[in-house]
Amino acid sequence: MTELERYKKAYAAVVGRVDTVISKLKETDIMLNLENTALRFAADALTKALLEAEELIVAEDGE
């Protein structure tokens, strides 16, 4: 297994967990009928981090 393959495998594991957390944060925000809360900020920050990591992996894969 190459280093890139190991990174992809690790990324996939992290994505699954973080995606679950993002969903729970958004559900809680909706259930509590809150707006502009730390919950939404945290969910957005995690989503951006995942997208940035994905971009790096895709860029690395293309090399």
Side-chain angles (χ1 to χ4, degrees), residues 7-53:
Y7 282 129
K8 285 182 179 182
K9 188 174 181 179
Y11 176 74
V14 170
V15 166
R17 300 268 178 129
V18 172
D19 191 48
T20 299
V21 171
I22 291 168
S23 295
K24 294 295 182 188
L25 288 170
K26 288 181 179 181
E27 287 173 16
T28 302
D29 186 41
I30 290 168
M31 285 185 353
L32 296 176
N33 197 24
L34 303 172
E35 291 187 26
N36 298 320
T37 65
L39 296 175
R40 186 168 299 155
F41 176 79
D44 291 346
L46 288 170
T47 300
K48 287 178 185 177
L50 287 180
L51 292 173
E52 288 174 13

Side-chain angles (χ1 to χ4, degrees), residues 2-4 7-8 54-63:
T2 68
E3 185 176 4
L4 180 57
Y7 282 129
K8 285 182 179 182
E54 183 178 3
E55 288 174 3
L56 290 171
I57 288 174
V58 169
E60 193 68 30
D61 197 22
E63 291 180 0

